[in-house]
Amino acid sequence: MKTASRADWGVDAYPPAEKNRRSWTVAAVAVVVVVVLVTLVALPLGIVPALVLGAVTLAAALWWIMQQGSLALRSTRARPVDETRFPRFVNVASGLARDLGIEMPRLFVIEKGEPNALVTRSRTPVIAMTTALLEGFTRTELEAVVAHCLE
């Protein structure tokens, strides 16, 4: 692991692309381990049933991983952002995404709770923020939170 020297303060030791690659690697290894274990446990049934059970386990694991973003949005009761109610959120997010040259995330609002933000992927990138954050933070603070979410 890279350690930050005095000249590196404030510079992330791992660029965002490398962080993303590491998290996908960990998820892939976990899925492979589970599929191999299920296949090995099913071997006494015969090679074909074991392979079928391994394939079904792989499909279920991949489906489960892909549903996590939708489950997070559903559990927080997040709703798509109303552009007339929160124009700053839409303006800041679209401007930063354009400046960074990345895909504009879908924006959601969570009606209850303390100031907080949620970043996930549900088919496309998603940023969800509580109304307390959107109504209580200044434009500069909101821009900082959105920039952090886009990292």
Side-chain angles (χ1 to χ4, degrees):
M1 182 168 131
K2 179 182 173 189
T3 58
S5 69
R6 187 174 178 91
D8 295 30
W9 284 7
V11 176
D12 199 352
Y14 295 104
E18 189 174 331
K19 286 181 185 176
N20 193 24
R21 193 170 30 252
R22 269 187 303 151
S23 63
W24 279 106
T25 302
V26 169
V29 167
V31 168
V32 167
V33 167
V34 168
V35 169
V36 168
L37 287 175
V38 166
T39 305
L40 289 174
V41 168
L43 269 178
L45 301 173
I47 191 73
V48 173
L51 291 176
V52 169
L53 193 55
V56 168
T57 304
L58 176 63
L62 293 176
W63 176 84
W64 182 79
I65 289 170
M66 299 303 291
Q67 295 303 310
Q68 294 309 299
S70 297
L71 291 173
L73 290 172
R74 219 173 301 135
S75 72
T76 59
R77 296 190 178 106
R79 300 285 176 246
V81 69
D82 177 5
E83 292 186 30
T84 59
R85 186 170 171 207
F86 300 106
R88 277 191 325 167
F89 183 26
V90 175
N91 181 269
V92 166
S94 64
L96 284 171
R98 184 181 58 249
D99 290 347
L100 293 170
I102 60 173
E103 176 184 358
M104 170 67 176
R106 291 187 306 152
L107 305 177
F108 285 78
V109 174
I110 302 167
E111 293 295 332
K112 297 186 180 185
E114 297 297 317
N116 211 344
L118 166 76
V119 179
T120 188
R121 186 166 185 88
S122 175
R123 287 178 269 122
T124 61
V126 172
I127 297 176
M129 294 194 180
T130 61
T131 53
L133 187 149
L134 293 170
E135 293 170 346
F137 280 32
T138 66
R139 181 178 178 88
T140 304
E141 292 168 329
L142 177 63
E143 193 170 273
V145 173
V146 172
H148 178 72
C149 291
L150 291 174
E151 176 186 23

